[in-house]
Amino acid sequence: MNLEIITPDKKVFGGEAVAVTFPGTEGQFQVLNDHAPLVSTLGKGEVVIDTGSGKQSVVIDGGVVEVLHNKILVLAEAVL
């Protein structure tokens, strides 16, 4: 899957991922390859990116995520 994490200031992450875990406002959730289309609000917390060769994490201060056709776009308010 292609993942982009963007803030109003800059692009924080851009690349491939096999799984991404998000801090949803109603609880944590994970997106895998071929996930159904989804739009969700995000709370303050850690986005964990599994690239297949390792894991990275980015702490965000809320935002919105869109999942469509194996492309994930995260519009984060800020990165902490």
Side-chain angles (χ1 to χ4, degrees):
M1 299 177 295
N2 184 272
L3 170 66
E4 281 190 291
I5 301 176
I6 300 170
T7 67
D9 299 330
K10 63 182 177 179
K11 184 176 188 176
V12 177
F13 181 90
E16 292 295 312
V18 296
V20 186
T21 305
F22 294 102
T25 52
E26 298 295 320
Q28 190 178 54
F29 65 96
Q30 187 175 54
V31 173
L32 301 172
N33 205 24
D34 295 324
H35 197 283
L38 166 77
V39 174
S40 179
T41 55
L42 300 173
K44 183 176 181 178
E46 185 177 35
V47 176
V48 180
I49 306 156
D50 185 347
T51 61
S53 60
K55 291 188 179 182
Q56 290 181 251
S57 65
V58 177
V59 179
I60 63 168
D61 192 24
V64 177
V65 61
E66 178 191 47
V67 178
L68 186 63
H69 304 302
N70 285 328
K71 292 181 182 172
I72 305 171
L73 177 61
V74 178
L75 303 175
E77 293 185 24
V79 172
L80 306 176

